[in-house]
Amino acid sequence: IELDPERVAPYQYLYEMHLGNQQYAQALDTIQKVSEQLPKDQPNLWVRLFASYYEVLNKDPALQTPANLKTAESFLRHALTIDPTHLEALARLGDFHLFATKNYPEARASYAKVLKIVPDAPGVREKLSLCYGFEKNYPMAVSILEDLLKQNPSRAELYQ
């Protein structure tokens, strides 16, 4: 990873200090400053940046503004412009839309990309079923779960 520790380490310490002192808005600002220092060609770093940013948003729901959610998503989108098949970025984008934005079509699209690359990715079909359930498309949600049960009958207790 080509990242100058002298440029980023102070931000890391500052972020941790803000987080530890429950200064969440300042922690988000620090992450934003780090994003300006990151190499633009390393998707794993952008996924990690998203994870830190989203962690802060979950600690203070008042910070879950449309602008902050858009910033969080932009980190994943940047990772995916570098590598459109980055599984962690795709899965996290699906989870982000499923749980944070409630944008179920976007979540489904991300999960579909994961499944295209790894057809039996753990937990992804269950989340896809959740999307359909939240959209009140119960036949599709049930169909996905029934397919999962056919493939793995020993997991039947998970779906009852």
Side-chain angles (χ1 to χ4, degrees):
I1 294 176
E2 296 178 27
L3 189 60
D4 182 355
E6 291 184 21
R7 283 191 355 215
V8 176
Y11 289 113
Q12 177 69 31
Y13 301 136
L14 189 58
Y15 165 77
E16 290 172 2
M17 189 173 60
H18 288 314
L19 198 60
N21 290 314
Q22 299 179 349
Q23 298 171 322
Y24 301 127
Q26 293 90 335
L28 291 182
D29 289 341
T30 302
I31 293 169
Q32 190 68 37
K33 289 175 185 164
V34 169
S35 74
E36 297 164 8
Q37 303 289 321
L38 285 183
K40 303 298 183 202
D41 63 345
Q42 296 180 22
N44 290 340
L45 292 177
W46 290 93
V47 172
R48 285 179 40 207
L49 198 64
F50 163 81
S52 295
Y53 199 88
Y54 192 56
E55 175 188 14
V56 175
L57 293 181
N58 283 325
K59 289 188 179 291
D60 185 355
L63 292 172
Q64 294 179 10
T65 64
N68 285 344
L69 291 172
K70 186 174 182 173
T71 297
E73 181 181 5
S74 75
F75 296 146
L76 291 175
R77 296 275 181 204
H78 186 84
L80 291 168
T81 60
I82 300 165
D83 179 2
T85 63
H86 194 283
L87 288 174
E88 185 179 1
L90 287 168
R92 284 183 181 262
L93 187 60
D95 292 350
F96 176 75
H97 284 300
L98 175 60
F99 300 112
T101 69
K102 313 285 191 242
N103 185 336
Y104 306 121
E106 282 288 329
R108 284 191 286 109
S110 293
Y111 293 143
K113 290 175 185 175
V114 170
L115 291 171
K116 186 174 183 180
I117 299 165
V118 181
D120 52 351
V124 174
R125 289 187 184 203
E126 288 90 338
K127 291 175 185 174
L128 192 57
S129 175
L130 279 174
C131 290
Y132 284 113
F134 288 136
E135 292 175 302
K136 299 193 183 331
N137 185 342
Y138 302 120
M140 184 60 85
V142 169
S143 174
I144 291 169
L145 293 176
E146 287 175 343
D147 285 345
L148 282 168
L149 287 171
K150 287 177 191 170
Q151 293 170 7
N152 194 353
S154 65
R155 295 185 65 195
E157 73 281 354
L158 296 177
Y159 307 112
Q160 294 179 354

